[in-house]
Amino acid sequence: MPSFKEVQYYLAGLWLLLRMDARGFQYLDISDRGMLRSFWAILWSLPPIGISWLWWQQAYLSAMPPETSTGMAFFLRLALVEAASWLTPLVLAGVLLMIFRFGDKFAPVVVVVNWLGLPISYLNALLIALLAFIPGSSGLVSFLLLALIMVIVFSLARMLRMICGTHPLFNGTLTLVLLIPNMLLTDFLQRFLDIYPPG
């Protein structure tokens, strides 16, 4: 498992890529081994993911009859949704990269997307904390969530440009493939697994 210092190093690499500085690649391990190690980002993201799960549980229970209870199965379903929403976009991106003969870019794309998911998870948890502890903050949180989505799209597009080169149509498509299926799949699985608050 990468140490905290290594994680800081990787995030510094992402920041350089965001600034269109190719030195960022020197901070990231974009080998096949580095690609596999980048999935440790999921474990580093567990604290904010846990916060989001607890908030989701409370939202679910508040929308259900008072006698409703949730057990370990509820959290296992949330874990299934989380795993699917994390991995499926990477698989789809891999297919797209192979079709357009960018297969050699798969490892760096996975590395960047996985480590980018780490700060995104903590920022999302911060928004949940605002919603949970500051009454009447739903409007502000909605605005901040929209801003966060825009930042994610902008950041990912710039990093993919650094990886794949100046191919605007392809990079735009790849950005959408990495983001849109995630949102659609999460919503579908939550409803399918009956862990979506009614109403």
Side-chain angles (χ1 to χ4, degrees):
M1 178 178 174
S3 65
F4 179 68
K5 199 169 192 65
E6 286 179 286
V7 173
Q8 287 182 303
Y9 204 69
Y10 297 148
L11 294 181
L14 294 183
W15 176 247
L16 288 172
L17 291 182
L18 178 60
R19 297 173 57 190
M20 308 297 287
D21 188 337
R23 289 179 300 169
F25 290 115
Q26 300 173 16
Y27 288 72
L28 297 167
D29 185 353
I30 57 175
S31 65
D32 289 344
R33 177 179 177 273
M35 177 183 69
L36 294 176
R37 290 188 82 228
S38 71
F39 284 96
W40 283 108
I42 300 174
L43 190 60
W44 275 99
S45 299
L46 282 183
I49 289 174
I51 292 173
S52 69
W53 288 0
L54 291 174
W55 177 81
W56 192 259
Q57 180 198 34
Q58 291 304 310
Y60 178 82
L61 290 174
S62 64
M64 299 295 286
E67 65 274 10
T68 303
S69 63
T70 59
M72 185 58 67
F74 183 85
F75 292 101
L76 289 176
R77 292 174 184 176
L78 283 174
L80 178 61
V81 173
E82 194 74 39
S85 64
W86 195 299
L87 297 176
T88 302
L90 295 177
V91 173
L92 295 176
V95 172
L96 185 67
L97 288 165
M98 288 181 63
I99 291 174
F100 287 92
R101 303 181 183 276
F102 282 99
D104 60 321
K105 307 297 184 182
F106 181 64
V109 167
V110 171
V111 170
V112 165
V113 170
N114 279 343
W115 289 118
L116 183 60
L118 181 58
I120 291 172
S121 295
Y122 279 90
L123 289 172
N124 185 60
L126 179 60
L127 295 183
I128 290 173
L130 288 175
L131 196 60
F133 295 109
I134 301 180
S137 62
S138 58
L140 173 62
V141 170
S142 297
F143 173 77
L144 292 175
L145 179 59
L146 178 61
L148 177 59
I149 292 173
M150 294 174 65
V151 168
I152 292 170
V153 172
F154 175 77
S155 302
L156 187 57
R158 286 175 70 89
M159 292 178 189
L160 290 177
R161 182 182 176 186
M162 291 296 294
I163 296 171
C164 299
T166 53
H167 305 281
L169 183 59
F170 177 78
N171 289 334
T173 303
L174 184 57
T175 301
L176 293 177
V177 164
L178 287 165
L179 295 176
I180 301 301
N182 183 0
M183 300 176 187
L184 297 177
L185 184 64
T186 297
D187 184 74
F188 169 76
L189 286 177
Q190 286 173 344
R191 295 178 188 276
F192 179 76
L193 296 173
D194 195 26
I195 54 175
Y196 194 90

